[in-house]
């Protein structure tokens, strides 16, 4: 699954999930809730860019 990077440098990795927002390990970025935001800076999903593997 693809990883996505926030402009602040935070990288959402499905292999890690987001425990702070109760996002389970293995959750694809596309499957994150619409109201999910970066746990580091609060940016919305639309500002994240896909990282090439």
């Amino acid at each position: 699954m693809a990883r996505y990077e926030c402009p602040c440098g935070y990288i959402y990795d499905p292999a890690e999930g987001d425990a702070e927002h109760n996002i389970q390990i293995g959750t694809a970025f596309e499957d994150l809730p619409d109201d999910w935001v970066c746990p580091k800076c609060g940016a919305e999903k639309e500002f994240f860019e896909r990282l090439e593997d």
Side-chain angles (χ1 to χ4, degrees):
M1 283 187 269
R3 297 179 308 143
Y4 284 76
E5 183 174 11
C6 182
C8 77
Y10 170 81
I11 295 175
Y12 175 76
D13 186 345
E16 297 177 8
D18 177 10
E20 186 175 323
H21 290 105
N22 296 318
I23 303 298
Q24 298 294 318
I25 291 172
T27 302
F29 186 81
E30 296 83 2
D31 295 333
L32 292 171
D34 290 337
D35 62 351
W36 181 86
V37 296
C38 174
K40 187 172 177 184
C41 76
E44 297 176 352
K45 287 173 60 176
E46 66 185 87
F47 297 105
F48 280 68
E49 292 195 22
R50 182 183 173 128
L51 294 175
E52 296 301 322
D53 291 332

